[in-house]
Structures are given as C-alpha cells and as structure tokens.
Amino acid sequence: MSKPIAVYMTDTPAVTFHQVYPAERMEQIRALCEISDEVVTSENLLTRTEELQKAEYIFSTWGMLSLTEEQITELLPNLKAVFYAAGSVQYFARPFLNKGIKVFSAWGANAVPVAEYTMAQIILAGKGYFQGMRRLERGGNNAESRRASQLYSQSLPCNYGVRVGILGAGMIGRLVLKLLQSYDFEVLVYDPFVTQERLDEYGARKAELDEIFSTCQIVSNHIANLPATVGMLKYEHFSRLPKNGVFINTGRGAQVVEPDLIRALEEEPDRTALLDVTLPEPPEADSPLWTLPNVFLTPHIAGSMKNETARMSEYMLTEFTKLLSGEPCQYEVSLKMLETMA
C-alpha cells in the first residue's frame, strides 16, 4: 500500500520552522508519508506545482500561506487536510474549509505554555512579588527599603481563600482553570458560551464582568480575539479592581481600552497590570505603560517558544496518525468554531 503524499508549507523563517519541526519529528512524519524536506513557500509556490498537484496533506506552522479557493482548486486538487502546528487559523482556514478540506490546529499545544505562564504570574502576583520587587529596587539596598517592600506584600491577602477571575474559558482558560484546582482559590469565570455544568468540573463559578472586577484579587484575560471582543474591557471594569488588585493580560491587547486601563492604574498605584500583550505591540514610545511603576511589560513571551514549539508539531503528528487510522481527532477546526475561537 502506497504512502499518502504531503508537503510542508509556510513562510516562517527556517530557524523557526526547524524549532517547530525538529529533525526527529520530520523523520516521524517521513515514516508515515511521502514528503520532501524542502518547504513550499510563497516564493517557490509556482515552481512546485507538480508536487502540489499530488499533495494530499499539508504540514504547516506560523506563516502558513493564505490561499484563495481558486488557488486551492488549481494548485491542490487532491488536498484532504491541513495540519497547522500553531494556534489561530483565522487568517487562512476559511477557503480550505469552504472547499471541504479538513483543518487541524495545535491550539491545544500552544495553550500549554500560556497557561503555565499565567499560573506562575497569578501565584507571584498574589504574594506581591512584582510591586514588592520594584519598590525594593527603587528604594535601594537598605533595611528601610526592605521593610517597605515587605509591608506592601503583607497588605495583600496572598494565595489562600481569595478570588481569582478568569476571562474566557476556551482552551487556554480551561487549562488555567485546571491548574488553579491545585490551589485554595475561589474561582470566578466570565464566558458567555460556557455552562455552569462545564465549570463545575473545575470547581469554578460563572460570573459577569462587573462582579469579577469588583471582587477578585486577580483577573486574567483569555478571551478569544474576535471583532466582537475588541475594546470590551473598559474603565468601568478596571476602576472596580480592588486597591491591590492585579490585571493579567496574556490574551490580546485589542480587548483592552488602553487609556481606560492607564487611568485606573494612575488613580490607584497599588493596582498592578501584568501585560504580555498590548496594542500596538510594543506600546507607543510615549505611552504611560512604559513609565507607570505599577505596570510590568513582557514582550509577548507567554506562548510557545524555542523547545516548547516542538510540542505543536507533536500534536499535529498525533492528529495525522489518528486521521489515517480512522480514529476520532481532537483538534479539527470547523467553520462554526471560527465564529468564537481565537
């Protein structure tokens, strides 16, 4: 029985491609199908037409080519599925799905490091780590400065019996909820699409934004990045954060009305914002986010990086194996899912 035919297709730089698809993963894929190690890119697309005509499967990652339905029909007449070893497929998936071609995404794999990163921030924020560290740095190496930093942390309820708010119960949000089960928190969740029955699995309770921002010590954003969610987090929410409340954003900067967040942070210096994402990214040079002492910026590092990216191709190899054997797949994307997923 002949092997299925596949191609790699992406415009991502070679160094990134080989982090996502290390040599051992490419060898595993090669054992299951006929595939060239040479990647199809937008530059060589039209010189690989003979190979593309036969291709039944595509393995990709960040930088997947965005093709029209007409291009798919002309270049990839035998294509059955795309395995995308990365997260969001919003920018390229619809033409493939409209043509009846299956699309699989490693969003579950990319969610793992984001959830781990978020969990670490929640625990550190609960102990006052971020503002305590900054106060100690600014005060200098002396007993008075150390005491002031300690007093700040001692003013917090810390990590026992406090409320944590999770915005969005998608793949990342659910992983965070799972991690939170190992701690003694009361967890509230905002997500219009999740049921209380589903949240019962994580020991969490469904709540509206006003209650979460008003009563939670820490609020973490994982809402899907969709047109309907742009600018949904405003001053009316951030101004409700408790005096020493913390807002964490590893989702998307577009969901935050940035001047409103800044205003709430300026009004209450004991509030803290931990921002791995902003809009624009990085913030404008004159943005107060650079200078506010209660803002901590990181350069969009929560998602898969370096060795972590190989997990994404592992997930897609598993999906490919299941598809070939007729087993149920876990990470197939549908047109309906694109309405609500990131």
Side-chain angles (χ1 to χ4, degrees), residues 46-231:
L46 297 182
T47 66
R48 305 279 295 276
T49 54
E50 183 176 349
E51 183 180 356
L52 292 173
Q53 290 283 317
K54 300 175 183 178
E56 299 169 272
Y57 303 99
I58 289 174
F59 287 91
S60 186
T61 183
W62 297 299
M64 170 61 188
L65 276 58
S66 183
L67 303 176
T68 65
E69 291 184 36
E70 292 73 18
Q71 287 175 310
I72 295 168
T73 299
E74 180 181 353
L75 296 170
L76 297 155
N78 291 301
L79 190 65
K80 298 177 181 179
V82 177
F83 294 90
Y84 183 66
S88 176
V89 300
Q90 288 283 0
Y91 78 98
F92 77 85
R94 283 180 175 80
F96 289 96
L97 294 172
N98 288 337
K99 295 289 296 180
I101 296 165
K102 293 179 180 291
V103 175
F104 299 86
S105 165
W107 79 80
N110 198 41
V112 173
V114 181
E116 293 171 342
Y117 186 89
T118 300
M119 193 66 241
Q121 286 198 318
I122 288 173
I123 295 300
L124 290 174
K127 296 290 284 187
Y129 170 85
F130 297 96
Q131 286 227 45
M133 175 184 63
R134 182 156 289 176
R135 290 168 188 230
L136 184 61
E137 288 176 345
R138 294 192 173 195
N141 184 22
N142 56 68
E144 184 178 345
S145 174
R146 287 176 59 82
R147 182 58 179 162
S149 180
Q150 288 175 338
L151 287 174
Y152 170 76
S153 292
Q154 289 171 2
S155 72
L156 305 175
C158 293
N159 291 320
Y160 179 79
V162 299
R163 281 187 173 181
V164 173
I166 301 300
L167 311 183
M171 179 62 70
I172 296 173
R174 291 198 302 274
L175 281 178
V176 175
L177 291 173
K178 184 177 180 180
L179 293 174
L180 283 167
Q181 288 182 290
S182 298
Y183 299 87
D184 292 305
F185 292 121
E186 181 183 354
V187 182
L188 275 58
V189 178
Y190 169 80
D191 190 318
F193 304 101
V194 73
T195 64
Q196 181 57 55
E197 183 180 16
R198 184 65 187 273
L199 293 180
D200 287 341
E201 300 174 21
Y202 303 99
R205 175 170 68 81
K206 191 167 183 173
E208 295 301 318
L209 289 175
D210 286 353
E211 181 183 5
I212 287 176
F213 277 92
S214 297
T215 67
C216 289
Q217 174 69 18
I218 299 170
V219 179
S220 185
N221 176 43
H222 307 284
I223 294 172
N225 189 36
L226 301 167
T229 66
V230 172

Side-chain angles (χ1 to χ4, degrees), residues 284-298:
E284 299 287 359
D286 60 351
S287 171
L289 294 179
W290 291 112
T291 55
L292 280 171
N294 50 349
V295 174
F296 297 80
L297 298 172
T298 49

